[in-house]
Amino acid sequence: MWKIAHQPIDNSPLIIFRICFGLLFACESFGAIATGWVRENLVDVHLTFSHIHMDFLQILVGPQMYVYFFLMGLASLAVMVGYRYKWSIWLLTILWAGAYFLQKTSYNNHYYLLLVIAFYMCFLPAASYASLDVKAKRVKEEFAMPKYVSWIFIYQIALVYGFGTLAKFYPDWLDGTFTRLMYENVDLPENIKAVFARPSFYLSIAYLGILYDALIVPALLWKKTRTWALVASLIFHLFNSITLQIGIFPYFALTFALFFYPPDQIRRLFLKKKPVLDPSLVNNLPLFNRFSASFLLVFMVVQFLLPLRHYIIKEDVLWTDEAHRLSWRMMLRSRNGYVHYRVVDKSINKEIDYDLDSKLTYKQKYRLTTPDMIWQMAQYIKKEFAEQGIDVAVYADSWVSINDRDYSRFIDENVDLANESWDYFLHHQWILEKPF
């Protein structure tokens, strides 16, 4: 296996992937500015719900985020054309990590996938052909890469689809409840929405979704079904792009097909002037050093373990939302709710009025339905009053609805959340039991 992994193959898939990756990341970065996403989530806000323990990133919030995303777009273009690649890919990865960990109000799984792939790309010789670095002789031109480079991408996309498949085996997906809800509010003509509202349609979508996620990677790996799998991917992702309007993800997902086809076939299709690779003439393959190889191996193992953590946490992740993120639970449920905070001055045992509307945007309040964000808001309130010299207790009157069910109380209203700690790997007892 070790010998096969280090077998030299044409590096055309990695080169084309780098170009596509940089282009799509540039679209994500500049598009976030143009569509108002940056303004809505990172500029016109008092605070953001950063990932827990990442509060220091709040210093980035404000108009400077326009410059931040513009710089990220430039770094993306530099990656695309292979300009100062070693620096530009690390800059892009660090900038995107900052943007990703800074806010959870507009969380999408493909944001996390972009971060994971950007991290992999930091270690790969993706600018060794068709790049400005090669043209300027900063990097030696290479026509080959080790076979394991393709395996890395196949492994990662297999995790995405594999865990995505497992997550769909729950009642509200299997009976079409969620797919019905998902298509109720699509921005399409009424006659098309009427078709989407038929049980035959949304049940078909539910089971086709399971079949696609479960079979796409094996089908791409098998030569006899590879082209049919690519056609199915085009239909699946373009349909999602048109109906669900989920940004660059459908196109990003399609680029992984590059690593399933024979590298020479990718060369003939996209890089016709590139010389045919003769493996017998390859002497010095660009290999990982021992530290990089060990580090990436640990990272890949972590990628496998993270989606498993909700299986060891008590209660149903569908209700508690604990370990929902970073687990490839993609477009899986509708979660709505509302919360009111009761703030009590502990020194005089007197309740203090707290205006949540003055602190959060409408979208932030609307998304205040997950335990981590509810807890974070309580911590923010505690800190705000502590700066005034007031020690407060903070109680949450939180109600949540899953997949359009009746609202049920979510948080124990008698627990002082300001005095609770957060743990990524344990169940929090102040989350009430699932009501359904």
Side-chain angles (χ1 to χ4, degrees):
M1 180 65 72
W2 184 258
K3 186 176 180 180
I4 296 174
H6 286 81
Q7 177 184 337
I9 61 172
D10 193 302
N11 63 357
S12 295
L14 180 62
I15 303 306
I16 299 301
F17 184 83
R18 182 205 80 221
I19 295 169
C20 294
F21 180 74
L23 175 61
L24 289 171
F25 226 129
C27 292
E28 183 74 35
S29 303
F30 294 130
I33 299 173
T35 60
W37 188 96
V38 173
R39 174 187 54 78
E40 181 181 10
N41 292 281
L42 302 171
V43 177
D44 291 348
V45 293
H46 288 284
L47 72 151
T48 68
F49 291 95
S50 56
H51 284 64
I52 293 173
H53 306 312
M54 295 286 182
D55 293 340
F56 62 89
L57 293 172
Q58 293 294 314
I59 193 173
L60 298 173
V61 175
Q64 59 269 22
M65 289 307 295
Y66 291 123
V67 178
Y68 188 101
F69 269 73
F70 186 78
L71 180 60
M72 192 157 60
L74 293 180
S76 303
L77 294 176
V79 167
M80 182 182 74
V81 300
Y83 176 72
R84 305 281 181 180
Y85 178 78
K86 286 187 177 180
W87 293 99
S88 59
I89 187 61
W90 274 107
L91 176 62
L92 176 59
T93 303
I94 292 169
L95 288 174
W96 183 247
Y100 173 79
F101 289 117
L102 177 57
Q103 69 86 33
K104 291 180 292 191
T105 303
S106 295
Y107 183 88
N108 277 310
N109 279 282
H110 81 259
Y111 295 164
Y112 178 53
L113 184 59
L114 282 169
L115 180 60
V116 170
I117 297 302
F119 184 76
Y120 283 134
M121 292 288 282
C122 290
F123 296 88
L124 302 178
S128 58
Y129 187 81
S131 71
L132 294 182
D133 283 349
V134 168
K135 188 174 182 179
K137 301 187 184 305
R138 286 187 293 268
V139 172
K140 180 185 175 183
E141 187 173 57
E142 301 280 359
F143 304 133
M145 66 181 183
K147 198 167 189 175
Y148 63 70
V149 171
S150 287
W151 291 0
I152 289 172
F153 291 96
I154 293 172
Y155 167 81
Q156 187 60 52
I157 201 65
L159 290 183
V160 173
Y161 285 122
F163 284 111
T165 303
L166 291 175
K168 289 179 174 63
F169 282 93
Y170 82 100
D172 287 2
W173 186 278
L174 297 176
D175 67 11
T177 295
F178 176 69
T179 48
R180 172 180 59 80
L181 293 171
M182 184 168 60
Y183 288 105
E184 275 185 353
N185 299 313
V186 292
D187 186 17
L188 292 170
E190 289 301 321
N191 57 334
I192 296 178
K193 289 179 69 172
V195 174
F196 285 7
R198 296 174 184 173
S200 58
F201 173 82
Y202 59 74
L203 279 169
S204 297
I205 290 294
Y207 284 91
L208 285 172
I210 292 175
L211 287 173
Y212 178 83
D213 285 358
L215 298 178
I216 189 59
V217 171
L220 283 169
L221 285 170
W222 193 24
K223 183 179 179 180
K224 291 184 178 180
T225 56
R226 186 173 294 141
T227 299
W228 288 108
L230 180 60
V231 171
S233 291
L234 284 168
I235 295 171
F236 176 82
H237 287 299
L238 291 177
F239 177 77
N240 284 342
S241 178
I242 294 169
T243 58
L244 302 177
Q245 300 176 4
I246 48 178
I248 69 167
F249 176 71
Y251 310 98
F252 184 41
L254 285 169
T255 62
F256 288 90
L258 290 163
F259 298 101
F260 290 87
Y261 278 84
D264 192 58
Q265 190 172 344
I266 301 300
R267 178 193 62 78
R268 293 195 305 270
L269 185 61
F270 294 105
L271 298 169
K272 296 179 180 180
K273 295 182 179 180
K274 186 181 180 188
V276 177
L277 177 68
D278 184 350
S280 65
L281 299 179
V282 177
N283 296 318
N284 297 310
L285 268 179
L287 302 173
F288 294 137
N289 59 43
R290 184 172 296 181
F291 172 78
S292 296
S294 301
F295 192 75
L296 273 182
L297 183 60
V298 170
F299 183 75
M300 293 171 73
V301 171
V302 169
Q303 287 300 304
F304 176 76
L305 294 177
L306 279 175
L308 295 174
R309 68 195 193 282
H310 71 80
Y311 291 107
I312 63 172
I313 296 177
K314 181 183 175 183
E315 303 297 342
D316 187 353
V317 63
L318 182 69
W319 169 249
T320 68
D321 212 67
E322 295 168 305
H324 173 83
R325 297 187 183 89
L326 317 186
S327 298
W328 308 121
R329 298 176 56 80
M330 302 171 291
M331 301 190 70
L332 202 63
R333 83 286 189 265
S334 168
R335 189 178 185 93
N336 299 302
Y338 56 90
V339 61
H340 170 74
Y341 287 95
R342 186 166 61 90
V343 182
V344 177
D345 185 337
K346 292 165 72 173
S347 63
I348 57 176
N349 197 30
K350 181 180 179 181
E351 190 167 329
I352 305 171
D353 290 331
Y354 189 80
D355 184 12
L356 195 63
D357 291 334
S358 66
K359 304 296 180 182
L360 303 181
T361 65
Y362 172 79
K363 186 176 183 179
Q364 286 176 324
K365 281 190 64 179
Y366 178 76
R367 296 292 175 86
L368 202 58
T369 63
T370 60
D372 55 339
M373 292 173 68
I374 293 171
W375 175 85
Q376 282 178 287
M377 191 66 219
Q379 299 300 309
Y380 175 84
I381 294 170
K382 176 184 179 180
K383 181 179 178 181
E384 184 180 6
F385 279 98
E387 291 172 351
Q388 304 172 35
I390 304 173
D391 185 19
V392 298
V394 183
Y395 305 92
D397 181 20
S398 171
W399 295 75
V400 167
S401 167
I402 303 295
N403 292 339
D404 220 24
R405 290 182 174 84
D406 291 339
Y407 284 88
S408 300
R409 189 180 293 280
F410 182 55
I411 301 295
D412 187 339
E413 60 180 332
N414 298 311
V415 172
D416 175 13
L417 293 183
N419 197 40
E420 295 292 322
S421 59
W422 182 265
D423 194 303
Y424 273 109
F425 299 98
L426 294 176
H427 173 61
H428 300 88
Q429 297 300 324
W430 37 267
I431 301 175
L432 299 178
E433 292 185 5
K434 183 175 71 171
F436 53 89

